[in-house]
Each structure stands twice: as C-alpha cells, then as structure tokens.
Amino acid sequence: MDVEESTGNVNLISKEGDSFPVPIAVAKMSELVKTMMDEDADDDDDSPTEIPLPNVKAQVLRKVIEFCEHHLQDPMTEIEKPLKSQNMADVVQKWYADFVDLEQVLLFELILAANYMDIKPLLDLTCATVASMIKGKTPEEIRATFNITNDFSPEEEAQVREENKWCEEA
C-alpha cells in the first residue's frame, strides 16, 4: 500500500445513497470495507474509492463512523464475559457506555450494521449492551423490555419451564 492510499479517503455509500467521506484507517476497521478496498485497489483511477453499503441506513452509518473514529483514538477495553454488571459504564469506558445509550431500534440496527460490516469491537459492544438489558431479569421482565408477546399457552410454558429447570438452578 502506498503512502497516498493510507492517508486518503474512501466514500462509504449508505442505503439511501448518501456519501460519507471517511479516512482509510477508519474505513478499514470494517473487514467488509477492507476486503472491498483490496479488490478495488486494482483500479488505476485517482478518484476516491466508493464502497456501497446497501444494508446500512445513513443514520446508522453515521453512528458506525463515529464509533470507528473514536475507537482509533481511544480503543475500547476488552469486554469481560460474563458481564460483571448491568451498567455498561462498569464494563467499558464512559464514552462507549454513553454511545450505546440509544433507543432499542437504533441499537438493533447498529448490531445488524456491525455484523454486516464485520466490525468486531462494535458488535461486541452492542451485543453486550443487549445482554446487560437481559441480565438478572425474569422472562416476563425480558418480554416487557423488548415488547415480546408470549405466544405460549400456560400448559406449554409450564412444560418449557420444567424441561429447562436446570437453567434456573444455576
């Protein structure tokens, strides 16, 4: 890789067609983007590489870029498993805890984007956030948190609880 390529920009294109110029180092946090850039490196034109991301909305892509830019400056601490706390501020640095303090819809879209773009630290953070929302809750509380309707009859629910009694003993 030549010097110009490592210091230039790449344009990430959202689902809506919005273009986001991003430094190459930031863009390469995504394994998907890194692979697409390597495949595109054969082109000889000097225009910035455009990477289409048809599965990522502009609002979500903005958050992904914000995460990647910050992560390059101040990498996130490794998330211990199992989670030691339901409070993300006890698990990661304050900036990262604040970053994932979002509406559920956006949080889940970030999980999908992190998975699609293959950005492991972002996927770890967002999934740990959902895990912290579940940690220590009863099935009823989890259903309420995520607005899940219980489609089991009382008999089916009793059967499932009986079959999985070992889980609740741990």
Side-chain angles (χ1 to χ4, degrees), residues 7-86:
T7 58
N9 278 352
V10 61
N11 290 327
L12 302 180
I13 312 297
S14 72
K15 179 179 189 171
E16 298 88 347
D18 296 347
S19 181
F20 295 86
V22 177
I24 287 174
V26 171
K28 284 196 167 186
M29 278 193 64
S30 163
E31 292 298 322
L32 173 72
V33 171
K34 185 193 279 185
T35 301
M36 291 172 85
M37 286 177 66
D38 291 345
E39 290 171 1
D40 195 52
D42 304 334
D43 295 350
D44 287 335
D45 64 359
D46 289 336
S47 62
T49 303
E50 289 197 347
I51 306 291
L53 299 168
N55 295 0
V56 185
K57 295 178 185 171
Q59 174 193 16
V60 178
L61 187 53
R62 261 187 222 96
K63 291 292 286 180
V64 169
I65 293 167
E66 179 186 351
F67 173 89
C68 292
E69 288 173 341
H70 187 84
H71 192 277
L72 278 180
Q73 302 302 314
D74 179 22
M76 184 176 70
T77 54
E78 188 73 25
I79 296 174
E80 291 179 39
K81 296 168 194 84
L83 289 179
K84 60 184 177 185
S85 170
Q86 286 178 284

Side-chain angles (χ1 to χ4, degrees), residues 2-168:
D2 61 22
V3 174
E4 182 183 304
E5 192 176 314
S6 63
T7 58
N9 278 352
V10 61
N11 290 327
L12 302 180
I13 312 297
S14 72
K15 179 179 189 171
E16 298 88 347
D18 296 347
S19 181
F20 295 86
V22 177
I24 287 174
V26 171
K28 284 196 167 186
M29 278 193 64
S30 163
E31 292 298 322
L32 173 72
V33 171
K34 185 193 279 185
T35 301
M36 291 172 85
M37 286 177 66
D38 291 345
E39 290 171 1
D40 195 52
D42 304 334
D43 295 350
D44 287 335
D45 64 359
D46 289 336
S47 62
T49 303
E50 289 197 347
I51 306 291
L53 299 168
N55 295 0
V56 185
K57 295 178 185 171
Q59 174 193 16
V60 178
L61 187 53
R62 261 187 222 96
K63 291 292 286 180
V64 169
I65 293 167
E66 179 186 351
F67 173 89
C68 292
E69 288 173 341
H70 187 84
H71 192 277
L72 278 180
Q73 302 302 314
D74 179 22
M76 184 176 70
T77 54
E78 188 73 25
I79 296 174
E80 291 179 39
K81 296 168 194 84
L83 289 179
K84 60 184 177 185
S85 170
Q86 286 178 284
N87 182 357
M88 287 306 290
D90 297 337
V91 178
V92 292
Q93 298 101 309
K94 182 181 181 342
W95 187 92
Y96 292 100
D98 291 343
F99 177 80
V100 289
D101 186 15
L102 306 164
E103 291 179 23
Q104 275 185 26
V105 172
L106 184 53
L107 179 62
F108 290 128
E109 286 180 349
L110 263 178
I111 290 172
L112 294 173
N115 186 49
Y116 171 68
M117 293 178 70
D118 197 358
I119 304 172
K120 187 179 182 322
L122 180 56
L123 187 60
D124 287 349
L125 176 64
T126 51
C127 288
T129 302
V130 172
S132 73
M133 295 163 77
I134 293 171
K135 187 175 176 66
K137 291 189 174 172
T138 66
E140 291 75 23
E141 291 170 326
I142 294 168
R143 281 190 201 104
T145 300
F146 297 107
N147 198 22
I148 300 169
T149 53
N150 183 0
D151 55 359
F152 284 124
S153 69
E155 296 79 24
E156 290 172 322
E157 189 165 347
Q159 180 184 350
V160 169
R161 286 185 190 277
E162 184 60 36
E163 290 171 359
N164 295 290
K165 215 179 232 177
W166 61 270
C167 289
E168 295 175 20

